[in-house]
Amino acid sequence: MEMSLEVVQVPVTDVDKAKSFYTDQLGFALDHDVEYIPGIRVVQLTPPGSATSIVIGTGMTSMAAGSLEGLQLVVADMESTRAELLRRGAVISDVQDMGGIAFAFFSDPDGNRWVIQEKTPPDVKEAFQR
């Protein structure tokens, strides 16, 4: 059996504001923005280089806007990624070193909380395998 997680719903109050945040400030690609039936709008967005997308919209979920936390974006270079996101106008926390692995944090306009993690350096991985 094989499974892949490819889409995660993110609950938001203002779809257009959230769409702008994810595309303009985070650089996510807009895959589609459709209203299949009246009251159900589906906006799919994909982070650069990711196989997994997020979906925001209306009429899809009972989750409260801003209730999602812990979605993690993994990046090769924290410093350059954070600098680019700041340049785009995103508010990103300072980088925190947690045992040799760098993390930073941000929230979308509704308060859904995200984590940016730098890929685990080889020397840190080796230390965990001992």
Side-chain angles (χ1 to χ4, degrees):
M1 178 168 62
E2 215 176 276
M3 295 181 201
S4 63
L5 178 64
E6 296 191 11
V7 181
V8 176
Q9 288 188 19
V10 176
V12 300
T13 53
D14 183 327
V15 177
D16 291 318
K17 184 176 180 179
K19 176 181 162 183
S20 177
F21 171 78
Y22 285 106
T23 57
D24 298 340
Q25 292 186 2
L26 298 184
F28 285 26
L30 175 62
D31 300 325
H32 62 259
D33 182 349
V34 295
E35 189 171 2
Y36 293 109
I37 57 175
I40 299 181
R41 179 178 175 193
V42 179
V43 179
Q44 184 169 321
L45 305 142
T46 303
S50 179
T52 303
S53 302
I54 64 167
V55 171
I56 59 175
T58 56
M60 299 185 310
T61 183
S62 61
M63 286 189 292
S67 64
L68 198 60
E69 60 182 64
L71 288 178
Q72 210 153 322
L73 298 168
V74 179
V75 301
D77 182 340
M78 176 66 78
E79 187 176 313
S80 66
T81 299
R82 185 173 179 277
E84 174 63 16
L85 294 174
L86 290 170
R87 186 191 68 72
R88 291 171 160 271
V91 177
I92 310 293
S93 74
D94 289 336
V95 176
Q96 298 178 20
D97 183 323
M98 297 185 185
I101 304 169
F103 291 88
F105 307 88
F106 69 90
S107 295
D108 73 7
D110 284 291
N112 293 300
R113 294 177 294 202
W114 289 76
V115 179
I116 302 171
Q117 175 192 335
E118 189 168 52
K119 287 185 179 177
T120 305
D123 60 322
V124 174
K125 268 188 185 176
E126 289 173 18
F128 288 130
Q129 294 172 355
R130 291 182 192 155

